[in-house]
Amino acid sequence: MKYIIVTGGAGFIGANVVKRLNELGEDKIIIVDNLGSSKKWKNLVDLSFEDYIHKDKFIDSLEKFNKTVKAIIHLGARSSTTEKNVDFLMKNNYEYTKLLAMWTIEKNVRFIYASSAATYGDGCHGFSDDHSLIPQLRPLNAYGYSKQMFDFWALKKGILKSIVGLKYFNVFGPREWHKGEMRSMVLKAYEQIKREGKIKLFKSYNPKYKDGEQLRDFIYIKDAIDMTLFFLENPHINGIFNVGTGIPRSWNDLANAVFCALGMKPNIEYINMPEEIKGKYQYYTKAEMDKIKSTGYNLKTTSLEEAVKDYVVNYLEKY
C-alpha cells in the first residue's frame, strides 16, 4: 500500500479528511503541518496515521517517498483573509504549491489542492469554476490573490488537466475551534450566545441587502469532505471545481439556525463593520455546481438548518 499525504493535516479541513480516511479503513497517512504553539495538535489525538512531518522539512524529504505515494491532498496554507505579509503568502501558498504540483506530475502521483472561493472577489464575474474565467478574476484580499496566482499558473502551464483544485466556499463544522478569528460564524455565534445571549452581525452598507441579509454559500464540513474524497476515488477527473451547495443563505438564516438548535428565541444585534474590511466585503457568494455534477457526483448536501443542528447538538454542546 502507498501513502496518502495530507498537508495541513492538523487543520480544519485536513483533520476531517484524515478522520474520514480512517473511517474508510485507511491509516497509511503522512500528516504535514506546522503545529507551532497552537492547539492544532488536539485535532490529531483521535486520528490514526503513519507519521507527522513539519511543513518546512517536507519539501526536502520528498524524494524519500519516491514510488511510495498514492496521492498528496494539499490543504496546508496561510488562510487568513486579513494577512498583510504578501511575501509570506506567496512563499507559503503559491511557491510551495508549485513545488508539490510539479513533483506529483513528475512522479505520476494524484494531486488534489485547495484553491478558494476568495479568488472570485466581489463576484462581478460570477462564481463559475469554468477554467476560462480564471484570468478575469480579481480577488479582494492577498490570501485570495495567492490562491488565484497558483490557479492561473497551473492554467498557463496546462497542468489543470492532470491535477484537481477545489474552491471551498464557507465551510463550517467540527475541528475548526483552533482557527481564531477565522472560525466560522456558526462557532462564533454559538460562543456569543453562550456568553451574551445574542448574536452580533455586521450591518449592510449595500442598499441591495438589508442588515443580516448578505448572502453566503455555507457548506457543512461533512459535505466538503465527500466532495474532496470523490476526486481521490476518481483519479481520471481533473480540473478546478467548486465545493459548495449552490444555495446562498443569509447571515440571519444562519443565526436563526443556531438559536433554533439551542432551543432559544433569536436575539440579533447589528453592529458597524470595521472600516478596513468595508471595501473588501463580499455581499453575495454562490457556488456554481453544474461542473462537479457533470462528473457523476450526485450526493446531496445537508441543509443549513440540519447541518447547524448537527454541529451544535452533537459536537459543540458536547465539548
Side-chain angles (χ1 to χ4, degrees):
M1 292 181 64
K2 292 185 176 183
Y3 293 111
I4 296 175
I5 297 174
V6 183
T7 73
F12 172 36
I13 298 178
N16 277 287
V17 163
V18 176
K19 179 66 173 176
R20 180 70 64 81
L21 287 172
N22 286 170
E23 291 169 353
L24 295 171
E26 179 67 68
D27 62 3
K28 202 168 178 61
I29 299 167
I30 304 293
I31 288 180
V32 177
D33 213 308
N34 176 16
L35 296 178
S37 58
S38 74
K39 295 182 179 179
K40 281 195 294 184
W41 64 269
K42 291 185 177 181
N43 276 343
L44 302 179
V45 172
D46 65 335
L47 304 181
S48 179
F49 53 96
E50 191 87 5
D51 201 3
Y52 165 85
I53 303 175
H54 190 281
K55 76 175 188 69
D56 291 341
K57 296 181 179 180
F58 176 56
I59 295 294
D60 293 335
S61 65
L62 265 176
E63 285 308 314
K64 82 175 186 178
F65 292 107
N66 190 31
K67 298 182 180 180
T68 65
V69 180
K70 173 183 177 181
I72 294 181
I73 303 177
H74 179 44
L75 304 171
R78 173 59 172 168
S79 59
S80 173
T81 56
T82 58
E83 175 61 59
K84 293 182 172 57
N85 187 338
V86 183
D87 282 337
F88 175 71
L89 287 170
M90 289 297 108
K91 179 180 179 181
N92 200 62
N93 295 0
Y94 176 53
E95 296 292 346
Y96 198 97
T97 309
K98 284 201 299 181
L99 287 170
L100 291 183
M102 295 309 295
W103 186 86
T104 57
I105 289 172
E106 178 186 341
K107 305 297 183 183
N108 195 29
V109 169
R110 185 64 162 152
F111 187 60
I112 301 169
Y113 75 93
S115 179
S116 173
T119 58
Y120 289 119
D122 64 5
C124 65
H125 294 290
F127 298 92
S128 169
D129 43 13
D130 189 293
H131 294 174
S132 64
L133 183 67
I134 294 174
Q136 304 175 43
L137 300 180
R138 299 293 182 267
L140 296 175
N141 52 62
Y143 160 70
Y145 181 64
S146 70
K147 292 293 189 177
Q148 165 75 354
M149 282 278 286
F150 179 80
D151 292 347
F152 194 25
W153 176 84
L155 176 68
K156 290 186 293 182
K157 287 291 183 180
I159 65 172
L160 287 180
K161 61 185 178 182
S162 305
I163 64 177
V164 173
L166 301 178
K167 294 198 175 190
Y168 294 98
F169 277 67
N170 287 67
V171 188
F172 67 93
R175 300 179 190 268
E176 63 163 314
W177 55 271
H178 64 281
K179 289 171 62 69
E181 283 304 307
M182 297 307 297
R183 302 187 317 284
S184 75
M185 190 57 201
V186 178
L187 178 51
K188 290 181 179 179
Y190 172 82
E191 293 171 341
Q192 288 176 12
I193 292 172
K194 289 294 185 177
R195 186 173 60 247
E196 305 174 34
K198 62 183 177 182
I199 291 175
K200 297 178 181 179
L201 298 176
F202 287 140
K203 294 177 181 178
S204 172
Y205 296 84
N206 183 328
K208 294 181 180 179
Y209 300 90
K210 295 180 180 180
D211 291 343
E213 290 300 308
Q214 306 96 317
L215 297 169
R216 290 286 189 281
D217 193 325
F218 302 106
I219 179 168
Y220 198 28
I221 185 63
K222 296 179 181 181
D223 297 321
I225 300 307
D226 283 340
M227 294 184 196
T228 302
L229 293 186
F230 171 78
F231 294 100
L232 181 65
E233 297 160 1
N234 293 275
H236 62 287
I237 302 173
N238 296 293
I240 288 180
F241 295 86
N242 286 332
V243 175
T245 66
I247 305 171
R249 300 293 301 274
S250 72
W251 292 110
N252 285 335
D253 290 338
L254 183 147
N256 289 331
V258 178
F259 279 113
C260 182
L262 289 169
M264 297 174 62
K265 183 179 179 180
N267 181 11
I268 302 172
E269 176 186 347
Y270 301 103
I271 62 174
N272 294 328
M273 188 182 296
E275 290 295 329
E276 61 268 22
I277 69 171
K278 278 186 180 180
K280 304 175 182 178
Y281 187 79
Q282 289 179 306
Y283 279 83
Y284 175 88
T285 65
K286 175 183 178 293
E288 297 296 336
M289 301 302 293
D290 290 343
K291 188 175 176 182
I292 190 171
K293 290 178 181 177
S294 72
T295 68
Y297 184 86
N298 57 11
L299 295 180
K300 292 184 178 180
T301 53
T302 314
S303 73
L304 178 64
E305 286 76 14
E306 290 174 317
V308 168
K309 182 177 181 180
D310 182 58
Y311 186 21
V312 170
V313 175
N314 296 320
Y315 295 92
L316 297 180
E317 285 286 84
K318 293 182 178 181
Y319 282 169

